[in-house]
Amino acid sequence: MYKLYTRPNTGGFVVEAALALAGVAFDQIDVPKSDPPDQAFLHISPLNQVPVLILPDGSSMTESAAICILLAER
Ligand SMILES: N[C@@H](CCC(=O)N[C@@H](CS)C(=O)NCC(=O)O)C(=O)O
């Protein structure tokens, strides 16, 4: 199962749309923008940026363009 970390009204919608168009099942976690940043999320995204996609093998990707290319290839 894919897991998408995103925030409302951000570029994360691009990956959300790509997953939806591909018909891929995924869990979506909306990460609140907080100050100070959420420490647990910083372990996943050191720049505190979304989107982050966790792949079924547990690895992660943080660049939306790269994520879209990977999903298209798959
Ligand atoms: N290169 C990244 C850029 C990601 C990015 O800039 N994300 C913004 C939202 S669209 C963000 O999380 N900004 C919060 C911050 O930088 O603190 C990508 O395209 O995936």
Side-chain angles (χ1 to χ4, degrees), residues 4 10 16-17 21 35 39 42-43 45 51 53 59-60 66 71 74:
L4 174 63
T10 70
E16 182 181 346
L21 288 169
D35 188 14
Q39 287 299 312
L42 284 181
H43 287 295
S45 178
L53 187 67
S59 59
S60 64
L71 292 174
R74 290 187 171 188

Side-chain angles (χ1 to χ4, degrees), residues 6-64:
T6 187
R7 294 188 181 105
N9 306 312
T10 70
F13 89 94
V14 172
V15 175
E16 182 181 346
L19 287 162
L21 288 169
V24 174
F26 64 102
D27 288 330
Q28 182 167 322
I29 294 100
D30 287 325
V31 183
K33 182 89 167 126
S34 60
D35 188 14
D38 182 295
Q39 287 299 312
F41 185 61
L42 284 181
H43 287 295
I44 297 166
S45 178
L47 295 178
N48 195 29
Q49 291 185 336
V50 294
V52 178
L53 187 67
I54 308 298
L55 307 184
D57 69 1
S59 59
S60 64
M61 294 187 74
T62 57
E63 287 299 320
S64 48

